[in-house]
Amino acid sequence: MQDAQRQFVEAAAAALGPKSVVTEHDAIEPWLTDWRGRYRGAAAAILQPASTDEVALIVALANRHDVPLVPQGGNTSMVGGATPPPDGSALILSLRRMNRVRRLAAEEGLVVAEAGVILADLHAAALGQGRRFPLTLGAKGSATIGGLVSTNAGGTQVLRHGTMRGLVLGIEAVLPDGSIHDGLAALKKDNRGYDLNQLLIGAEGTLGVVTAATLRLVPAIAARAVAWVGVDSPHAALDLLHAMAPAADAIESFELIPAHSLDAVLRHIPGTRAPLERPHPWHVLIEAVASNADEAPSALIETLLAQAFERGLVRDAAIAASEAQGEAFWRIRDSISEAERASGPALQHDISVPVAAMPNFMIDGARAVEAAFPGTSAGAFGHLGDGNVHFHVRAPAGSAPDWPTRNAGVISPFVHDLVVAAGGSISAEHGIGQMKRDELARLSSPARMHALNAIKRALDPRNLFNPGKLVSLASDRLDQ
Amino acid sequence: MQDAQRQFVEAAAAALGPKSVVTEHDAIEPWLTDWRGRYRGAAAAILQPASTDEVALIVALANRHDVPLVPQGGNTSMVGGATPPPDGSALILSLRRMNRVRRLAAEEGLVVAEAGVILADLHAAALGQGRRFPLTLGAKGSATIGGLVSTNAGGTQVLRHGTMRGLVLGIEAVLPDGSIHDGLAALKKDNRGYDLNQLLIGAEGTLGVVTAATLRLVPAIAARAVAWVGVDSPHAALDLLHAMAPAADAIESFELIPAHSLDAVLRHIPGTRAPLERPHPWHVLIEAVASNADEAPSALIETLLAQAFERGLVRDAAIAASEAQGEAFWRIRDSISEAERASGPALQHDISVPVAAMPNFMIDGARAVEAAFPGTSAGAFGHLGDGNVHFHVRAPAGSAPDWPTRNAGVISPFVHDLVVAAGGSISAEHGIGQMKRDELARLSSPARMHALNAIKRALDPRNLFNPGKLVSLASDRLDQ
């Protein structure tokens, strides 16, 4: 451990007690690697405060001893966003001990949760009061509120409820200078200058550390309808989305699934079966919900699907006859990533384009990739209603398992160029972290990069917060 | 005109043509005073570019000649936000010539409008395509999109659709260094670092000038229900709001009106009449809408009001039997400010507190003010559902018309202290401008003010954009 780090750690242990500092190698080890095992860092200690005041104290010590901090929640970043730098220059600031739900006000429709609350636990707490926190994603058993806020997480219910940005009503954070920003009050109208809460959402811990958030709750689901629909093309799927507009207040998910992905699931995931009798080139999974059992959405969905069938937008459709069948439909969707992994090595891209541009992008983009990289096959699936798909480029048959690593440097920039040409985003819901940092710098306008760097320098002039992530200041310390 | 300004204006006229520069005194005069006549500034010229490139050129010239700019749209600020400094150091940058609707995509539910588009014109354009832009306010005939975005405007439909922040899907702006930020693409999921669009919303032109915005459209209204309800207290009104939750997807407005305000309207506004037979201490105006004529909300509203009556939450209620009657209810609400002005001098405060805290604040806050300033009477009305009321302190009987000016320095800080103690905001929907700049500095945490100033310095290091507004750098030029 470097001298400055040792002094910092000793001061933290003295002030907060030994429980707040972890220095045993075995205890640190699991938190040095991202959950997909792509990035590996080094850190001599994990600091784990139990309150906002303790976080502020740690940040003050970080300033005094000039030691950078890497905030960490559930460590489920897809872009290496919570992995410390490999040179051991930073310590990990874990928020996991701050796991209290401070207040859950069902009638007001809000909950105040600390940064370390795990998403699944928040779901359970809300449900216990007849409410729902309407954001979910695969890592819900590990991902924490602080990380979800800091990455503006998305998921499968964004169509109706938005990303975290649409669900955050307030934020408490410790800013890089050690001061506490108390923006927890849920004010629907508040125009007091630049919105620091909005700036912290999606900042990936580079502008300070979120310690708690006030989040919006919605009524619990009383009834739902899950439909599986066969369609001709992504274009037909988009027409179908528009045709479902009369049910827009009920539809939470509109997921597009190509035949290739369905086939991979049926082949590799035991116990799955095709929802429709005949094969179709593309599929749509629709979920509509109601908070009032009297307003079960099935009838409206069935009517709209029948009308769409008449118009030739739909080849075939099935509405789940039971909760179990609905779950089975969702299991197919949720198993795509696992099934595609089992099918062979592939490069994944989390991208978005304007919804109207998505069908062309899916077809033309895949063709362009396959033409440029012979032997590959490309395909996309995901949240069509959000303009967000996961775009996979699969290795040529017989490629070695390390094909993605060897080809990412050429293929991913090619895909990103296509995305930018379509007016899209190279990171729809996973953020930038370290994985896309250089691509962000390459593909953003100078105006934008200048502004991002200026904001980082203004709020974290000593580059103490999650250095090397998001902005391209690399892990170098900034000029002071 | 100062030398630097003269050179700037000559260069602008040479580059953009004489139409882009106004120097005639009579043409400038109306734009030097805010619309309530409280602030008066000086400016030797108005620059009025017709395109984003022309704005960028003007900003580049402003940098070259070191001349600050005050962006101006419809000049309807309630806080002197668009009035130039009195020393004549700045020029006005008017966006009014940039008044094109660039694209209106009804099926995609979005419109791209330039900064100078007037709100009422946007309403009309949307309606022409069967859509609605769901934000409206009293100044809609003058207020422009650029100003609405830059002040994060609110209004009477925020309960369901949010403020401008909830309706802006993309922004184009010229940043203080003259570069163009193109953030117009409507991406529902986009996590590429700090969200510059969110930072520009509500920045009051101090971080650059918004030149266009992509805005969300919703289906046009096919049916609506307008109800006028007599209640015992603000507490009963809040209980009623919760009781109406089953209609939450339809209710757009929930406005609280005290007897005093209704009486003022009936006394001063010709042709108005009380909606209910007997007098009540408090009133609620509820509007619910549906985009589908089959789902007319009247029946649900009537059922819920009947249930609330059974529970003792409601003293009496009337649902408008016709569009004309609904308009008559709204005319009462919309006339309150005018009627209160006619009743005598008063100090107005645009404040918000958490919705749950609002009833107590309205009662206790009014009592505290009346006790501290004998002879005054205090009362609040407005958007209960948003936690946003307009809190008026009326002068003692017989006070001179300049009573507000003479007493604002004492009474408004007293009110603001109450607001802060209740966890609220001293500016709910009007912004900070120059009127509340010093109060913002007084009542914000050092952490917050430090961050606001750091952001301003980072993005506008030469303080060229709307100097003297919002942040407390006064109109002095920053150290460079």
Side-chain angles (χ1 to χ4, degrees):
Chain A
M1 204 182 304
Q2 302 157 7
D3 274 357
Q5 291 190 2
R6 181 171 304 113
Q7 290 164 21
F8 176 6
V9 165
E10 283 168 6
L16 306 178
K19 216 174 153 187
S20 299
V21 181
V22 178
T23 52
E24 298 76 31
H25 177 268
D26 289 357
I28 297 174
E29 178 61 25
W31 305 100
L32 299 179
T33 306
D34 75 307
W35 81 313
R36 297 204 291 189
R38 294 181 184 188
Y39 297 94
R40 182 160 175 78
I46 297 177
L47 302 153
Q48 38 185 36
S51 70
T52 305
D53 285 340
E54 291 191 4
V55 175
L57 188 142
I58 286 171
V59 173
L61 287 174
N63 274 279
R64 187 173 313 151
H65 298 283
D66 204 30
V67 174
L69 298 171
V70 176
Q72 206 177 72
N75 195 25
T76 61
S77 173
M78 303 285 277
V79 291
T83 308
D87 62 4
S89 58
L91 300 181
I92 292 172
L93 172 59
S94 169
L95 280 298
R96 280 181 298 278
R97 280 179 71 210
M98 288 189 64
N99 60 359
R100 278 192 315 136
V101 172
R102 291 189 192 163
R103 189 162 87 89
L104 198 161
E107 195 158 58
E108 296 171 53
L110 59 84
V111 58
V112 182
E114 292 186 338
V117 172
I118 290 171
L119 179 56
D121 293 341
L122 185 72
H123 287 159
L127 212 55
Q129 304 277 329
R131 291 293 182 274
R132 178 168 65 116
F133 179 62
L135 183 139
T136 192
L137 36 71
K140 65 185 174 188
S142 304
T144 60
I145 298 306
L148 294 164
V149 170
S150 298
T151 59
N152 184 25
T156 50
Q157 297 168 345
V158 168
L159 185 59
R160 182 168 173 219
H161 299 291
T163 63
M164 282 300 282
R165 196 178 294 285
L167 297 169
V168 170
L169 305 174
I171 286 180
E172 178 191 83
V174 176
L175 301 180
D177 62 1
S179 61
I180 296 172
H181 163 65
D182 179 0
L184 280 179
L187 300 172
K188 295 187 182 179
K189 289 181 176 176
D190 180 16
N191 278 328
R192 286 176 294 171
Y194 320 139
D195 194 323
L196 295 186
N197 289 355
Q198 294 296 335
L199 197 54
L200 290 164
I201 296 169
E204 303 187 16
T206 63
L207 300 180
V209 55
V210 172
T211 50
T214 305
L215 302 169
R216 185 157 67 88
L217 299 177
V218 301
I221 294 174
R224 66 172 185 160
V226 184
W228 190 280
V229 187
V231 297
D232 275 325
S233 65
H235 300 81
L238 183 57
D239 289 342
L240 177 61
L241 177 64
H242 292 148
M244 303 300 285
D249 283 345
I251 293 178
E252 301 218 331
S253 301
F254 194 94
E255 302 280 312
L256 184 62
I257 299 152
H260 179 280
S261 297
L262 174 61
D263 294 345
V265 170
L266 298 178
R267 195 160 53 242
H268 295 286
I269 310 295
T272 53
R273 47 171 298 201
L276 300 174
E277 269 179 44
R278 287 178 302 123
H280 304 282
W282 294 84
H283 305 259
V284 176
L285 174 61
I286 302 173
E287 174 161 315
V289 309
S291 55
N292 188 332
D294 301 344
E295 295 166 12
S298 308
L300 179 56
I301 297 297
E302 198 168 338
T303 303
L304 293 172
L305 283 175
Q307 289 168 359
F309 184 83
E310 294 294 319
R311 286 176 52 200
L313 297 180
V314 163
R315 294 166 56 110
D316 194 7
I319 296 183
S322 65
E323 272 293 304
Q325 198 177 4
E327 290 297 331
F329 290 179
W330 267 110
R331 187 159 171 246
I332 294 170
R333 163 66 185 85
D334 290 338
S335 302
I336 293 176
S337 287
E338 184 185 343
E340 296 234 340
R341 270 196 300 276
S343 306
L347 274 167
Q348 299 164 23
H349 304 87
D350 161 48
I351 52 117
S352 67
V353 299
V355 176
M358 182 54 86
N360 280 343
F361 180 84
M362 291 176 74
I363 304 292
D364 300 345
R367 271 189 206 141
V369 168
E370 290 166 359
F373 304 101
T376 63
S377 69
F381 68 94
H383 325 297
L384 179 69
D386 307 330
N388 169 209
V389 294
H390 300 291
F391 189 93
H392 286 197
V393 181
R394 292 177 284 267
S399 298
D402 67 345
W403 179 88
T405 319
R406 284 187 294 105
N407 290 275
V410 181
I411 295 178
S412 292
F414 184 90
V415 171
H416 293 160
D417 286 346
L418 296 175
V419 171
V420 170
S425 169
I426 62 164
S427 181
E429 56 181 4
H430 294 166
I432 299 297
Q434 47 188 305
M435 188 171 100
K436 294 184 177 177
R437 195 194 59 198
D438 295 342
E439 282 292 88
L440 177 71
R442 182 176 74 86
L443 294 168
S444 297
S445 69
R448 187 169 154 70
M449 282 317 296
H450 176 77
L452 296 194
N453 286 331
I455 292 167
K456 169 71 172 176
R457 283 194 165 87
L459 296 183
D460 183 18
R462 303 175 69 186
N463 200 16
L464 289 177
F465 274 79
N466 216 2
K469 313 294 171 18
L470 205 164
V471 278
S472 319
L473 307 169
S475 54
D476 318 349
R477 308 302 298 275
L478 301 177
D479 296 333
Q480 286 171 33
Chain B
M1 204 182 305
Q2 303 157 5
D3 274 357
Q5 290 191 0
R6 181 171 302 112
Q7 289 164 20
F8 176 5
V9 165
E10 281 168 6
L16 306 178
K19 215 174 153 187
S20 299
V21 182
V22 178
T23 52
E24 299 76 30
H25 178 267
D26 289 356
I28 297 174
E29 178 61 26
W31 306 98
L32 299 179
T33 307
D34 75 306
W35 82 313
R36 297 203 291 189
R38 294 181 182 186
Y39 296 94
R40 181 160 176 78
I46 298 176
L47 302 153
Q48 38 185 35
S51 70
T52 304
D53 285 339
E54 290 191 4
V55 174
L57 188 142
I58 286 171
V59 172
L61 288 174
N63 274 280
R64 187 173 313 152
H65 297 284
D66 204 29
V67 174
L69 298 171
V70 177
Q72 206 178 70
N75 195 26
T76 61
S77 173
M78 303 286 277
V79 290
T83 308
D87 63 4
S89 57
L91 301 182
I92 293 172
L93 172 58
S94 170
L95 280 298
R96 279 180 297 277
R97 280 178 71 208
M98 288 188 64
N99 61 359
R100 278 193 314 137
V101 172
R102 289 189 193 163
R103 189 162 87 89
L104 197 160
E107 195 158 59
E108 296 171 54
L110 59 83
V111 58
V112 182
E114 292 185 338
V117 171
I118 290 171
L119 179 55
D121 293 341
L122 185 72
H123 287 158
L127 212 56
Q129 305 277 328
R131 290 296 182 273
R132 178 167 65 116
F133 180 62
L135 183 139
T136 192
L137 35 71
K140 66 184 172 188
S142 303
T144 60
I145 297 308
L148 294 163
V149 170
S150 298
T151 59
N152 185 24
T156 50
Q157 297 168 344
V158 168
L159 184 60
R160 184 167 172 220
H161 299 290
T163 62
M164 283 299 281
R165 197 178 294 284
L167 297 169
V168 170
L169 305 174
I171 287 181
E172 177 192 83
V174 176
L175 300 179
D177 63 2
S179 62
I180 295 170
H181 163 64
D182 179 1
L184 280 178
L187 300 172
K188 294 186 182 179
K189 289 182 176 175
D190 179 17
N191 278 328
R192 285 176 294 171
Y194 320 139
D195 194 322
L196 295 186
N197 288 355
Q198 294 295 334
L199 197 54
L200 290 164
I201 296 169
E204 304 188 15
T206 64
L207 300 180
V209 56
V210 171
T211 50
T214 305
L215 303 168
R216 185 157 67 88
L217 299 178
V218 300
I221 295 175
R224 68 173 184 159
V226 184
W228 189 280
V229 186
V231 295
D232 275 326
S233 64
H235 300 80
L238 183 58
D239 288 341
L240 177 61
L241 177 64
H242 293 148
M244 303 299 285
D249 283 346
I251 293 179
E252 302 218 329
S253 301
F254 195 94
E255 301 281 312
L256 184 61
I257 297 152
H260 179 283
S261 297
L262 174 60
D263 294 345
V265 170
L266 298 178
R267 196 160 52 242
H268 294 288
I269 309 296
T272 53
R273 46 171 299 201
L276 300 175
E277 268 179 43
R278 287 177 302 125
H280 303 283
W282 293 85
H283 305 260
V284 176
L285 175 61
I286 301 173
E287 175 159 315
V289 309
S291 56
N292 188 331
D294 302 342
E295 295 166 12
S298 307
L300 179 57
I301 297 298
E302 198 167 341
T303 303
L304 294 172
L305 284 175
Q307 290 169 358
F309 184 83
E310 294 295 319
R311 287 175 53 200
L313 297 179
V314 163
R315 293 166 57 111
D316 194 7
I319 296 183
S322 64
E323 272 293 304
Q325 198 178 4
E327 289 299 330
F329 290 179
W330 267 111
R331 186 158 172 248
I332 294 171
R333 164 64 186 86
D334 291 338
S335 302
I336 293 176
S337 286
E338 185 186 342
E340 297 235 339
R341 270 196 300 277
S343 306
L347 274 166
Q348 299 164 23
H349 305 87
D350 161 51
I351 52 115
S352 66
V353 299
V355 176
M358 183 53 87
N360 280 343
F361 180 85
M362 291 175 74
I363 304 292
D364 301 345
R367 272 189 203 140
V369 168
E370 290 167 359
F373 305 100
T376 62
S377 69
F381 69 92
H383 325 298
L384 180 69
D386 307 330
N388 170 210
V389 294
H390 299 292
F391 189 93
H392 286 197
V393 181
R394 291 176 287 266
S399 297
D402 67 345
W403 179 88
T405 319
R406 283 186 296 104
N407 289 275
V410 181
I411 295 178
S412 292
F414 185 90
V415 172
H416 292 160
D417 286 346
L418 296 174
V419 170
V420 170
S425 168
I426 63 164
S427 181
E429 56 181 4
H430 294 166
I432 299 298
Q434 47 187 305
M435 189 170 100
K436 294 184 176 176
R437 194 194 60 197
D438 296 342
E439 282 292 88
L440 177 71
R442 182 176 74 85
L443 293 167
S444 297
S445 70
R448 187 170 154 69
M449 281 316 297
H450 176 77
L452 297 194
N453 287 331
I455 293 167
K456 168 71 172 176
R457 284 195 166 86
L459 295 183
D460 183 19
R462 303 176 70 187
N463 199 16
L464 289 178
F465 274 78
N466 215 3
K469 313 294 171 20
L470 205 164
V471 279
S472 318
L473 307 169
S475 53
D476 320 348
R477 309 302 297 277
L478 302 176
D479 297 331
Q480 287 171 33

